[in-house]
Amino acid sequence: MRDFSGDHRWLSINTATIRKSGGKDLPLTEIIEACVQRGIRAISPWRDQVAAAGLAEVSRLVRTHGLELSGYCRGGMFNAKCLVLVVGGLPGALQGKPEHKDIALSRTQVRDGIAELLDYARQVRMPLAIEPLHPMYAADRACINTMEHALDVCDELDPQRTGAIGVAVDVYHVWWDPKLRQQIERAGKDRLLAFHACDWLTPTTDLLNDRGMMGDGVIDIPRIRGWVEAQGFAGYSEVEIFSTGNWWLRPHDEVLDTVIARHMTAV
Ligand code: ZN
């Protein structure tokens, strides 16, 4: 397992982490500058932020600064390491009006959708990373909720293990899973495409936007990272914190400095 205690060269910032600074929207261009100033080598931007800042300008900044992209959220761009898929739940549920109650049907549709996308992803050589989400999001955000389920889909669609599809391991979503270690071993290096870090707070006050800073919650992040790296994963550790009530209210400089410090001690 890599030693993160001396520097932050393997830290990537999921740009949602500082999408707000002091409660106000922070443009992606400023997020990039703040990361570059601190020697952060990789980011994972969100499509809405890229759209707001302009794809051409973002591409230019990423290239000028030699930034790497540990992922791209969510679902379609440049030289990202993988495209992270949050697969969806029951149609309409996110808007509070679920069209049906058949989660098995949703899962079949998700598998079919990924199969279709995979053909295109192979052509453009963009690996697809299925991110299993915590089961509390099964209705409205993603009906793939465990590593086991995500890997079943990978095995079905890519039995030859070509590297075209794999999983994004986000500790927030999978830390509780009794089969986590076993499934990380099943995934192996070729299916482990991304590693996302934050922490699970007790109590959690908001199911979506109360993620904790690493070290402030109950997830044994180094243990999980150890399992992932034992398989040969050597990519970035991407910090992804959505926090309307705490970190998004603070100045982004403070947030980034805290992320860097915690990345050395709690990841
Ligand atoms: Zn994630």
Side-chain angles (χ1 to χ4, degrees):
M1 179 172 169
R2 292 171 293 174
D3 178 8
F4 281 180
S5 66
D7 59 61
H8 59 282
R9 93 177 69 161
W10 291 109
L11 168 64
S12 170
I13 298 293
N14 185 295
T15 58
T17 303
I18 48 170
R19 70 158 56 244
K20 287 185 187 292
S21 176
K24 288 201 205 100
D25 286 342
L26 188 67
L28 185 55
T29 47
E30 286 180 45
I31 292 174
I32 289 173
E33 297 295 345
C35 288
V36 167
Q37 270 170 24
R38 288 169 175 77
I40 289 165
R41 304 192 304 156
I43 59 169
S44 181
W46 284 63
R47 279 170 70 194
D48 65 304
Q49 292 175 307
V50 172
L55 178 59
E57 174 64 3
V58 173
S59 296
R60 190 188 66 75
L61 279 174
V62 164
R63 293 208 169 91
T64 310
H65 293 304
L67 276 172
E68 290 202 77
L69 301 179
S70 61
Y72 188 48
C73 302
R74 309 178 274 195
M77 140 180 153
F78 13 57
N79 52 333
K81 300 273 187 215
C82 60
L83 180 66
V84 176
L85 300 181
V86 170
V87 299
L90 300 170
L94 195 57
Q95 295 75 34
K97 294 194 176 77
E99 288 165 24
H100 61 72
K101 300 182 180 183
D102 191 347
I103 196 166
L105 172 65
S106 282
R107 287 178 168 144
T108 304
Q109 289 170 338
V110 162
R111 185 205 55 210
D112 294 347
I114 295 173
E116 223 171 280
L117 185 58
L118 186 59
D119 287 337
Y120 175 72
R122 282 186 203 280
Q123 288 167 30
V124 298
R125 295 174 186 277
M126 170 64 70
L128 299 179
I130 303 173
E131 181 164 348
L133 296 202
H134 191 284
M136 66 182 171
Y137 304 118
D140 56 4
R141 294 181 188 274
C143 57
I144 294 182
N145 307 103
T146 60
M147 286 278 290
E148 184 171 29
H149 185 184
L151 290 168
D152 286 348
V153 173
C154 293
D155 286 352
E156 187 183 339
L157 301 182
D158 180 44
Q160 301 85 14
R161 300 181 74 100
T162 61
I165 187 166
V167 292
V169 178
D170 186 326
V171 298
Y172 193 75
H173 296 301
V174 300
W175 70 277
W176 55 273
D177 184 349
K179 290 186 179 172
L180 180 57
R181 181 179 189 169
Q182 176 202 330
Q183 294 300 316
I184 286 172
E185 288 168 356
R186 172 187 170 195
K189 185 177 184 215
D190 55 312
R191 293 239 202 268
L192 291 169
L193 300 182
F195 181 77
H196 296 174
C198 67
D199 216 333
W200 184 281
L201 300 175
T202 53
T204 288
T205 57
D206 184 293
L207 295 186
L208 185 63
N209 291 321
D210 188 32
R211 290 182 173 216
M213 181 64 65
M214 300 80 70
D216 287 348
V218 296
I219 305 179
D220 189 342
I221 305 170
R223 180 183 298 238
I224 299 173
R225 185 167 71 83
W227 295 340
V228 168
E229 295 198 5
Q231 297 306 312
F233 178 82
Y236 286 100
S237 150
E238 180 181 317
V239 171
E240 182 181 41
I241 299 172
F242 316 144
S243 173
T244 39
N246 184 1
W247 296 102
W248 284 350
L249 297 177
R250 304 197 198 194
H252 66 283
D253 289 322
E254 179 193 340
V255 179
L256 274 186
D257 291 342
T258 309
V259 165
I260 289 171
R262 296 296 183 84
H263 196 257
M264 293 192 207
T265 56
V267 176

